[in-house]
């Protein structure tokens, strides 16, 4: 099952690649409509939109998922139901592909909801309480977006068609389109985990690592970004898009800070995904969908690779995820360390790796734009924070001492995993330059003052220095950074208390109301006035009569005579 899926997805990816080159060169768009049923004047039509963007995205999704499935053959080898896992991953990929090629709100909703449902099944794959909680948080956060898409579908009834692609250009000032745009932005914020819906993304790390590699690179979290890229023409003048710029900038900043306080390897990478999603959403809010798409694709490659390397490391460390136990792994697993370092440096935007082309272009466009100081600060400071947590992670994993003396079973000969990682490693090296030639059909030359042009280098060097200083601590060392934990447990460390707000902090009031209702109504008044109450009244009366019947023969006879008298009188009256 695994090899068939791998080959199918890989060939599908290559096919999309050649089609995409042809479509770009010929400047072609295919719009296919399949009429499923036509009855009187009602017709149900399935439509598919194939242009360079959807083909390129499908190529990336199928390439990453093929290497993830190949990787799972080894990673999930002890799993009894491996085929079930692979089928779930395939369902996930097909939901995403349906979302990518849909110009129609109904089929977008099918793909969107498919992603939500299958991601729930994958997050609770290891069945324990923590996974169930994470799965519910993921599913319920995404439900908000699903409801918004449903409301968009019902609002679009006003136009007589759900094919949004037809009326993107001329509906900008229509108040109905403003409402639809607002709902779409909320939907995209839930799927792409922007503030205030961020807390589900680190929680979804309960899924198996191959799933994390797929979910957090090119499928689930990028669905929201892709939706807004498609709708960008309509949203570009909206006020709410400016609000999204602020929220996504804050998401980027918050995720960067939280990653520096985190010791769980997978959560650090998840928070870095959150930071990059903030970057994509914010450049999208500034009206540059091409740049957001460019960064989405380059980021997908090195982030999938980063998760795969993390999976190998966790496997080798006997399922320990705490980075304080790791260290010096470059001596024992050099190939994995090579992949890990290159993907991490691509994430930082080291020149001529994949991340550099998109991040550098985005930051230079930001420097050219007419923005206020706060947004400018959020962009650059978050870029510095990316470098900060990456270098901290590299020092903890590669350079610090190995802290787990008991276990020495580190080896690097799992060639199934290594081969699947090398495929993505190649893409992490070349994807940036290859895409910058593909997507932008004319070369960008951006002129800036020297200090602004060098600003990216400055924040990178600052982040590098800070990452080195922070990584210098051992498990037992007391340093100034650790002393901020007293404050941080409350604010920084905990993603600005967001997991608390979206779980316990939100639920407790409703649960309290439910508890009071149960206590006072279900088990209180309604019991007293219905079943139990009537039972008690009748029971007490019967005990009372029983007492008289047994203990006092005169009263019993008298009451018998009295009842007979009443019956006789009634009988006489009725006659």
């Amino acid at each position: 099952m695994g090899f068939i899926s791998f080959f199918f997805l890989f060939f599908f990816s290559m096919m999309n690649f050649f089609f995409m080159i042809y479509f770009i060169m010929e400047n072609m768009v295919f719009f296919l409509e399949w009429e499923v049923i036509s009855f009187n004047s009602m017709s149900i039509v399935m439509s598919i939109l194939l242009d360079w963007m959807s083909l390129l995205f499908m190529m990336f999704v199928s390439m990453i998922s093929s290497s993830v499935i190949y990787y799972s053959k080894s990673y999930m080898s002890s799993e009894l139901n491996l085929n079930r896992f692979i089928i779930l991953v395939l369902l996930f990929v097909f939901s995403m592909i349906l979302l990518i090629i849909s110009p129609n709100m109904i089929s977008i909703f099918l793909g969107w909801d498919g992603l939500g449902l299958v991601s729930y099944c994958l997050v609770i794959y290891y069945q324990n309480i923590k996974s169930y909680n994470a799965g519910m948080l993921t599913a319920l956060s995404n439900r908000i977006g699903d409801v918004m898409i449903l409301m968009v579908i019902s609002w679009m009834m006003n136009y007589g068609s759900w094919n949004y692609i037809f009326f993107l250009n001329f509906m900008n000032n229509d108040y109905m389109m403003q409402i639809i745009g607002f709902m779409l932005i909320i939907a995209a914020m839930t799927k792409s985990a922007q503030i205030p819906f961020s807390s589900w993304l680190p929680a979804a790390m309960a899924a198996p690592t191959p799933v994390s590699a797929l979910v957090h690179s090119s499928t689930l979290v990028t669905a929201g970004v892709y939706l807004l890229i498609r709708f960008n023409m309509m949203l570009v003048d909206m006020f709410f898009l400016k609000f999204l710029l602020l929220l996504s900038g804050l998401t980027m900043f918050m995720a960067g800070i939280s990653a520096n306080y985190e010791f769980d390897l997978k959560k650090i990478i998840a928070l870095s995904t959150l930071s990059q999603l903030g970057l994509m959403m914010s450049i999208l809010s500034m009206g540059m969908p091409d740049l957001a798409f460019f960064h989405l694709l380059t980021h997908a490659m090195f982030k999938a690779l980063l998760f795969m390397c993390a999976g190998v490391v966790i496997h080798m460390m006997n399922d320990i995820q705490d980075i304080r136990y790791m260290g010096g792994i470059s001596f024992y697993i050099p190939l994995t360390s090579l992949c890990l370092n290159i993907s991490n440096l691509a994430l930082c935007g080291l020149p001529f790796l994949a991340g550099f082309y998109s991040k550098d272009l985005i930051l230079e466009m930001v420097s050219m734009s007419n923005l206020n100081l706060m947004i400018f600060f959020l962009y650059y400071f978050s870029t510095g924070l990316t470098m900060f947590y990456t270098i901290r992670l590299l020092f903890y994993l590669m350079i610090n001492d190995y802290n787990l003396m008991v276990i020495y079973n580190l080896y690097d000969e799992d060639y199934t995993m290594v081969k699947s990682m090398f495929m993505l490693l190649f893409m992490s090296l070349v994807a940036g330059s290859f895409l910058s030639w593909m997507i932008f059909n004319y070369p960008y030359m951006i002129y800036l003052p020297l200090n602004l042009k060098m600003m990216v280098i400055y924040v990178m060097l600052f982040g590098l220095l800070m990452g080195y200083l922070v990584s210098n601590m051992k498990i037992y060392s007391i340093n100034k950074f650790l002393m901020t934990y007293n404050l941080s447990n409350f604010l920084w460390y905990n993603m600005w208390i967001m997991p608390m707000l979206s779980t316990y902090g939100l639920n407790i009031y409703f649960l309290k109301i439910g508890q009071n209702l149960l206590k006072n109504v279900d088990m209180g008044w309604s019991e007293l006035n219905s079943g139990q109450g009537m039972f008690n009244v009748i029971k007490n009366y019967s005990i009372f009569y029983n007492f008289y019947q047994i203990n006092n023969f005169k009263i019993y006879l008298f009451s018998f005579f009295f009842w007979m008298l009443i019956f006789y009188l009634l009988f006489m009256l009725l006659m």
Side-chain angles (χ1 to χ4, degrees):
M1 182 83 193
F3 278 117
I4 298 168
S5 314
F6 163 71
F7 281 119
F8 170 73
L9 283 166
F10 190 73
F11 283 122
F12 183 63
S13 165
M14 290 297 104
M15 190 180 73
N16 280 324
F17 173 61
F18 292 119
F19 273 127
M20 180 266 304
I21 291 177
Y22 182 63
F23 273 52
I24 281 188
M25 286 172 69
E26 299 293 325
N27 201 10
M28 272 165 47
V29 175
F30 268 16
F31 191 88
L32 312 172
E33 281 203 330
W34 170 45
E35 197 170 274
V36 184
I37 188 171
S38 181
F39 182 71
N40 289 349
S41 63
M42 185 201 76
S43 60
I44 295 174
V45 179
M46 174 75 198
S47 38
I48 290 176
L49 175 75
L50 294 175
D51 61 350
W52 69 269
M53 187 179 272
S54 56
L55 286 168
L56 184 57
F57 200 11
M58 276 200 293
M59 172 209 153
F60 271 70
V61 168
S62 42
M63 177 175 271
I64 289 172
S65 48
S66 68
S67 50
V68 161
I69 282 174
Y70 191 68
Y71 175 89
S72 305
K73 286 286 288 179
S74 172
Y75 189 91
M76 305 291 283
S77 55
S78 56
E79 174 62 45
L80 294 175
N81 301 318
L82 183 64
N83 282 354
R84 183 177 67 180
F85 175 77
I86 286 172
I87 288 167
L88 276 174
V89 172
L90 286 175
L91 273 172
F92 198 63
V93 175
F94 292 141
S95 298
M96 189 64 197
I97 286 174
L98 181 63
L99 182 93
I100 292 169
I101 58 175
S102 300
N104 183 303
M105 278 322 293
I106 301 283
S107 48
I108 276 191
F109 180 68
L110 289 174
W112 188 270
D113 224 20
L115 283 173
L117 178 67
V118 182
S119 69
Y120 175 71
C121 297
L122 287 168
V123 169
I124 63 165
Y125 196 80
Y126 296 138
Q127 296 178 11
N128 54 48
I129 295 294
K130 192 182 167 210
S131 296
Y132 292 148
N133 287 339
M136 282 314 287
L137 178 57
T138 305
L140 293 177
S141 299
N142 285 329
R143 268 333 266 167
I144 300 168
D146 299 345
V147 170
M148 288 295 160
I149 297 268
L150 275 171
M151 285 160 77
V152 166
I153 288 171
S154 53
W155 270 94
M156 281 176 106
M157 297 277 282
N158 300 316
Y159 293 119
S161 163
W162 286 301
N163 282 4
Y164 69 85
I165 211 88
F166 293 148
F167 33 77
L168 277 184
N169 294 344
F170 56 88
M171 288 292 182
N172 286 4
N173 305 319
D174 187 356
Y175 85 97
M176 249 184 280
M177 265 301 182
Q178 296 280 327
I179 293 168
I180 289 172
F182 172 73
M183 287 173 186
L184 281 169
I185 289 172
I186 296 285
M189 280 170 68
T190 58
K191 215 53 151 188
S192 295
Q194 302 302 297
I195 287 175
F197 308 110
S198 301
S199 56
W200 71 262
L201 197 135
M205 288 295 96
T209 309
V211 174
S212 306
L214 192 59
V215 165
H216 290 264
S217 61
S218 59
T219 50
L220 184 70
V221 291
T222 56
V225 180
Y226 184 74
L227 190 74
L228 289 193
I229 288 171
R230 282 294 191 203
F231 274 93
N232 197 264
M233 209 177 286
M234 180 192 90
L235 304 170
V236 80
D237 298 328
M238 278 185 60
F239 162 74
F240 199 71
L241 211 60
K242 297 179 178 63
F243 193 57
L244 178 66
L245 176 61
L246 177 66
L247 284 179
S248 50
L250 286 172
T251 307
M252 197 164 39
F253 180 59
M254 177 267 302
I257 284 179
S258 302
N260 283 309
Y261 280 94
E262 190 58 68
F263 285 113
D264 184 326
L265 177 60
K266 277 177 79 175
K267 272 201 177 149
I268 293 174
I269 304 174
L271 286 164
S272 94
T273 303
L274 189 54
S275 178
Q276 300 308 306
L277 282 171
L279 181 64
M280 289 172 219
M281 285 297 234
S282 48
I283 198 70
L284 196 59
S285 321
M286 288 167 58
M288 303 178 196
D290 281 1
L291 278 179
F293 187 61
F294 184 26
H295 188 57
L296 192 156
L297 295 180
T298 54
H299 168 256
M301 280 297 160
F302 56 75
K303 190 49 62 76
L305 178 59
L306 199 50
F307 267 113
M308 285 182 173
C309 297
V312 174
V313 173
I314 290 166
H315 239 310
M316 298 301 156
M317 305 288 293
N318 269 12
D319 301 334
I320 286 172
Q321 295 190 19
D322 195 321
I323 58 171
R324 287 170 294 188
Y325 289 111
M326 302 171 190
I329 62 167
S330 52
F331 293 117
Y332 310 112
I333 40 175
L335 294 175
T336 308
S337 303
L338 171 80
C339 295
L340 187 73
N341 284 335
I342 288 179
S343 55
N344 254 326
L345 293 172
L347 170 66
C348 290
L350 197 78
F352 313 116
L353 295 178
F356 163 75
Y357 289 91
S358 51
K359 279 184 97 164
D360 199 60
L361 199 53
I362 286 173
L363 287 169
E364 289 185 348
M365 292 303 279
V366 168
S367 303
M368 275 181 75
S369 305
N370 191 10
L371 279 174
N372 59 26
L373 186 63
M374 181 173 178
I375 302 294
F376 187 80
F377 165 78
L378 285 176
Y379 268 108
Y380 275 101
F381 199 73
S382 306
T383 307
L385 284 171
T386 304
M387 194 73 179
F388 188 173
Y389 60 71
T390 305
I391 296 298
R392 168 178 177 258
L393 186 63
L394 287 186
F395 267 88
Y396 263 108
L397 292 181
M398 307 288 160
I399 293 164
N400 283 356
D401 294 333
Y402 183 64
N403 287 318
L404 203 65
M405 278 315 195
V406 188
I407 308 164
Y408 249 112
N409 65 342
L410 300 172
Y411 62 97
D412 203 6
E413 270 132 42
D414 199 328
Y415 291 120
T416 310
M417 290 197 196
V418 170
K419 274 186 276 191
S420 60
M421 289 193 306
F422 267 52
M423 192 161 91
L424 290 183
L425 176 70
F426 174 71
M427 288 304 287
S428 298
L429 292 170
V430 301
S433 52
F434 144 73
L435 284 172
S436 62
W437 284 104
M438 277 294 178
I439 295 179
F440 309 111
N441 41 19
Y442 51 91
Y444 276 105
M445 274 301 288
I446 300 173
Y447 287 99
L448 290 169
L450 180 67
N451 276 339
L452 265 185
K453 196 79 168 168
M454 295 292 289
M455 191 73 180
V456 187
I457 310 289
Y458 296 156
V459 291
M460 276 174 69
L461 290 173
F462 176 69
L464 195 149
L465 177 69
M466 291 299 293
Y468 166 69
L469 293 173
V470 165
S471 71
N472 246 339
M473 58 182 172
K474 305 281 184 292
I475 297 181
Y476 44 80
S477 67
I478 297 173
N479 72 357
K480 298 287 188 290
F481 189 72
L482 274 175
M483 288 179 181
T484 59
Y485 267 78
N486 300 330
L487 166 77
S488 69
N489 274 336
F490 179 65
L491 197 59
W492 298 126
Y493 181 53
N494 213 355
M495 288 175 67
W496 295 354
I497 340 174
M498 235 178 298
M500 168 79 173
L501 287 177
S502 56
T503 52
Y504 186 75
L506 193 70
N507 299 349
I508 189 71
Y509 301 106
F510 298 105
L511 292 172
K512 281 244 172 86
I513 292 168
Q515 187 188 13
N516 287 335
L517 282 174
L518 182 74
K519 191 172 152 193
N520 298 324
V521 178
D522 286 12
M523 293 176 162
W525 285 103
S526 69
E527 282 289 338
L528 205 63
N529 293 328
S530 60
Q532 284 289 331
M534 285 164 68
F535 168 73
N536 280 331
V537 168
I538 294 167
K539 187 182 77 173
N540 290 336
Y541 273 121
S542 66
I543 289 170
F544 181 72
Y545 285 127
N546 197 23
F547 175 74
Y548 275 117
Q549 285 170 16
I550 293 168
N551 286 357
N552 203 319
F553 193 63
K554 280 185 197 172
I555 291 176
Y556 177 62
L557 274 177
F558 174 70
S559 61
F560 181 73
F561 172 73
F562 189 65
W563 277 108
M564 286 290 105
L565 189 67
I566 289 170
F567 277 124
Y568 179 71
L569 289 172
L570 277 171
F571 184 69
M572 293 301 289
L573 280 169
L574 289 170
M575 288 296 286

